[in-house]
Amino acid sequence: MRETGKIRVFLLDDHEVVRRGVHELLSLEDDIEVVGEAGTAAEALARLPAAHPDVAVLDVRLPDGSGVEVCREIRALDERVRCLMLTSYADDEALFDAIVAGASGYVLKAIRGDALLTAVRDVAAGRSLLDPVATARVLERLRGGGPHPDERLARLSEQERRILDLIGEGLTNRQIGAELHLAEKTIKNYVSGLLAKLDMQRRSQAAAYVARVQAAGVQAAGGH
């Protein structure tokens, strides 16, 4: 809704028939415009930023990765993009990952057409479609009640956790070095090590991850 007054939607699904069906469904609506589509995570990451969508409808399981990873990457670039995860399977782990990645909604492909249209409109308006009970369960895990993020965070040393927090604040290696009174090369080595421990390849992944974890756990963690 940035220029035309319409909700701009980007579609990502590796099944062409599904993608076409959703495209046609959305295109029939006066207030929705499909501005791009892709069949793989790589295509989506290449095309989506230039399309400037309000909502990205993302298939969770892709041949070259995950829609959750695409959500995380895109949200790290532009938090205005609302992500609606679309999947064939009800999967608690994928739901957990989607919430941590910043998704606004998670719906099954068995959803009725009118319900999908409502979901797109609700997400575009800034509302969350995530089930409150499931979200509460995920937040409990983020606060230490489950293994997924804390298991990875527990691998980090106190210094690595401090550096991870600073990455989440958007600081460069040089700025982190100045903050901690360490050489830039030393910080670079720390960053490489903590990315490996978190099973991540890119700094942007760590930044999006820590920002999300901190936001969700800030009260229980006493503001850490």
Side-chain angles (χ1 to χ4, degrees), residues 81-124:
V81 180
R82 308 286 182 177
C83 295
L84 179 63
M85 311 311 296
L86 191 61
T87 182
S88 302
Y89 311 100
D91 181 340
D92 272 358
E93 200 62 30
L95 170 60
F96 176 87
D97 289 340
I99 293 174
V100 172
S104 297
Y106 189 97
V107 296
L108 296 177
K109 288 184 179 178
I111 190 172
R112 299 189 318 275
D114 59 343
L116 179 59
L117 291 171
T118 298
V120 168
R121 291 182 177 115
D122 283 349
V123 166

Side-chain angles (χ1 to χ4, degrees), residues 105-167:
Y106 189 97
V107 296
L108 296 177
K109 288 184 179 178
I111 190 172
R112 299 189 318 275
D114 59 343
L116 179 59
L117 291 171
T118 298
V120 168
R121 291 182 177 115
D122 283 349
V123 166
R127 290 187 282 272
S128 173
L129 300 184
L130 298 165
D131 176 61
V133 175
T135 303
R137 194 164 66 239
V138 166
L139 295 183
E140 181 61 30
R141 289 176 64 180
L142 284 171
R143 291 167 182 150
H148 185 73
D150 281 29
E151 184 177 86
R152 291 193 288 178
L153 290 175
R155 303 172 192 167
L156 304 183
S157 67
E158 185 177 343
Q159 186 76 301
E160 287 171 332
R161 282 293 299 271
R162 190 175 296 118
I163 290 171
L164 181 62
D165 287 344
L166 295 173
I167 289 174

Side-chain angles (χ1 to χ4, degrees), residues 1-210:
M1 293 183 288
R2 299 179 190 186
E3 295 175 5
T4 63
K6 294 185 177 183
I7 300 169
R8 298 168 61 83
V9 178
F10 188 97
L11 303 176
L12 168 59
D13 198 298
D14 61 321
H15 294 100
E16 185 183 0
V17 172
V18 173
R19 206 165 64 242
R20 279 188 177 181
V22 175
H23 188 144
E24 290 179 13
L25 174 72
L26 297 176
S27 296
L28 291 173
E29 302 300 304
D30 293 337
D31 62 331
I32 297 175
E33 177 185 7
V34 178
V35 295
E37 57 182 76
T40 66
E43 285 179 359
L45 290 172
R47 299 175 183 174
L48 202 154
H52 300 297
D54 299 299
V55 177
V57 179
L58 308 173
D59 189 8
V60 170
R61 288 177 174 81
L62 299 164
D64 64 335
S66 165
V68 172
E69 176 65 21
V70 173
C71 173
R72 184 181 298 117
E73 293 281 341
I74 293 304
R75 296 268 304 162
L77 292 172
D78 186 353
E79 288 190 348
R80 293 176 299 174
V81 180
R82 308 286 182 177
C83 295
L84 179 63
M85 311 311 296
L86 191 61
T87 182
S88 302
Y89 311 100
D91 181 340
D92 272 358
E93 200 62 30
L95 170 60
F96 176 87
D97 289 340
I99 293 174
V100 172
S104 297
Y106 189 97
V107 296
L108 296 177
K109 288 184 179 178
I111 190 172
R112 299 189 318 275
D114 59 343
L116 179 59
L117 291 171
T118 298
V120 168
R121 291 182 177 115
D122 283 349
V123 166
R127 290 187 282 272
S128 173
L129 300 184
L130 298 165
D131 176 61
V133 175
T135 303
R137 194 164 66 239
V138 166
L139 295 183
E140 181 61 30
R141 289 176 64 180
L142 284 171
R143 291 167 182 150
H148 185 73
D150 281 29
E151 184 177 86
R152 291 193 288 178
L153 290 175
R155 303 172 192 167
L156 304 183
S157 67
E158 185 177 343
Q159 186 76 301
E160 287 171 332
R161 282 293 299 271
R162 190 175 296 118
I163 290 171
L164 181 62
D165 287 344
L166 295 173
I167 289 174
E169 292 174 18
L171 272 64
T172 64
N173 286 350
R174 178 172 296 180
Q175 291 169 326
I176 293 172
E179 180 81 16
L180 301 180
H181 307 291
L182 293 170
E184 185 176 353
K185 184 177 180 181
T186 301
I187 299 300
K188 184 177 181 181
N189 290 336
Y190 269 118
V191 171
S192 296
L194 70 86
L195 287 178
K197 289 182 181 180
L198 292 173
D199 301 320
M200 296 176 183
Q201 290 76 45
R202 291 180 293 280
R203 188 190 189 91
S204 61
Q205 292 175 282
Y209 169 78
V210 70

